Amino acid sequence: MNTAMSLKPAPVLQREITPEGGDYSTVCRVIEKISLDYRDQPSLEALADDVGETPTGLQKLFTRWAGLSPKAFLQAVTLDHARKLLDDGMPLLETSYELGMSGPGRLHDLFVTHEAMSPGDYKTRGEGLTIRYGYHISPFGIALIMVTDRGLAGLSFNDPGEERAAFADMSGRWPNATYVEDMSATAPYAARIFDPARWRNDQPLRVVMIGTDFQVSVWEALLKIPMGKARSYSSIASEIGRPGASRAVGAAIGANPLSFVVPCHRALGKSGALTGYHWGLTRKRAILGWEAGQLGGKPAA
């Protein structure tokens, strides 16, 4: 081994993309309040007062950003009711009458076709790999999307002002790769990932998994969890043939570089607790609530 050979310097964010104006901050504050205070069932008026908006203004703003109204989102994140329903020993997200939705919705999910890089490719820590990246506004914050010529390789979330930290987190997973800022390459992925109308099995989303064999097996198991359902770390460990590896499974879930698409947010603790989430527990609640809202059909008024 040539000890004189040094690693390529870590890439840096080329420019800031924090959205201008207060809309993004307002929506984030409302999502956080709903996610944390859902037991109190805050009214639209109370939510609007908390962020300095009129009820009508907040209704329009939130619906435009999150895809459903504050009321529908509040219904969706009322997770206590969902814990009454069990599937394989785990609580389901109730998506029907229990949460006040109009009725059972047709099951939608991301249709994903995936491949894994070889162990040799992974061990080079991305050497010889070109990763194009871009930042895009999503229902769950600023999404950092990374793609290769083989498909989506990375998706993470951050809040305004945290772009550099998110970039360092993701690029540090494959430090020897070459990074190119290219929103024209990542924009089609952003448009597809966050628009349920474009989730089609005849046009599957191409994903490339860059990890160890064990990590990839865990991430593949996560892809099998349907929207609106959840699995425990221990059940995932059993599914991949490693029943005694719950802790290692949890570590692999935490290292998942493809947030939302590879649904690590659907993995819960054995007791049904949400447990941690690499991109923030409030964001995990928000994603689960958003999914429940999608399953519930049209947003409630």
Side-chain angles (χ1 to χ4, degrees):
M1 178 178 179
N2 184 358
T3 58
M5 183 179 295
S6 60
L7 295 178
K8 295 179 182 178
V12 296
L13 179 64
Q14 299 299 313
R15 59 189 174 87
E16 300 290 351
I17 52 83
T18 301
E20 296 181 357
D23 288 0
Y24 180 80
S25 176
T26 297
V27 172
C28 283
R29 288 164 61 193
V30 173
I31 286 177
E32 182 173 12
K33 185 171 181 61
I34 289 176
S35 299
L36 295 178
D37 298 343
Y38 64 90
R39 292 183 182 85
D40 297 332
Q41 297 289 289
S43 65
L44 175 63
E45 290 73 20
L47 292 169
D49 184 67
D50 190 67
V51 297
E53 284 278 351
T54 66
T56 300
L58 178 61
Q59 175 90 353
K60 292 180 179 179
L61 171 63
F62 192 93
T63 302
R64 174 168 56 84
W65 275 75
L68 66 168
S69 70
K71 179 181 178 180
F73 191 88
L74 175 60
Q75 292 171 339
V77 298
T78 306
L79 299 178
D80 279 351
H81 296 295
R83 296 187 180 188
K84 299 176 183 177
L85 302 179
L86 301 178
D87 176 46
D88 192 25
M90 289 301 303
L92 292 172
L93 285 176
E94 179 54 71
T95 59
S96 183
Y97 307 105
E98 185 75 18
L99 287 178
M101 297 295 182
S102 59
R106 177 177 175 268
L107 181 63
H108 286 79
D109 211 338
L110 285 171
F111 292 94
V112 176
T113 179
H114 67 277
E115 62 174 303
M117 294 185 68
S118 70
D121 289 334
Y122 174 72
K123 288 179 180 178
T124 66
R125 308 189 74 188
E127 186 173 358
L129 188 66
T130 297
I131 297 179
R132 301 183 182 278
Y133 69 92
Y135 292 82
H136 303 269
I137 303 304
S138 83
F140 316 113
I142 300 172
L144 169 57
I145 295 178
M146 293 183 163
V147 303
T148 72
D149 57 0
R150 294 158 66 178
L152 179 71
L155 170 59
S156 70
F157 297 107
N158 63 268
D159 294 324
E162 299 175 354
E163 295 87 354
R164 292 183 184 275
F167 189 82
D169 181 341
M170 293 297 288
S171 61
R173 300 162 189 254
W174 315 294
N176 293 342
T178 298
Y179 291 87
V180 178
E181 185 176 14
D182 186 354
M183 290 186 65
S184 64
T186 56
Y189 287 88
R192 164 70 195 276
I193 290 167
F194 301 111
D195 182 2
R198 300 180 66 175
W199 297 355
R200 298 174 53 182
N201 58 1
D202 61 334
Q203 296 179 2
L205 182 72
R206 294 176 56 213
V207 169
V208 57
M209 296 178 177
I210 309 175
T212 66
D213 286 346
F214 179 81
Q215 288 175 329
V216 169
S217 68
V218 172
W219 302 338
E220 288 176 335
L222 291 174
L223 281 174
K224 298 176 183 178
I225 306 175
M227 179 186 287
K229 297 188 178 182
R231 294 288 185 272
S232 68
Y233 296 157
S234 57
S235 68
I236 294 172
S238 296
E239 181 175 334
I240 65 172
R242 300 284 295 276
S246 295
R247 183 168 297 182
V249 164
I253 290 172
N256 170 34
L258 290 156
S259 180
F260 188 70
V261 172
V262 176
C264 50
H265 55 276
R266 299 177 195 161
L268 308 182
K270 188 174 183 180
S271 66
L274 292 184
T275 66
Y277 186 59
H278 190 76
W279 291 277
L281 195 54
T282 295
R283 185 168 281 114
K284 182 172 184 173
R285 293 188 181 100
I287 294 174
L288 290 170
W290 183 88
E291 289 188 339
Q294 298 300 316
L295 287 171
K298 294 183 180 179

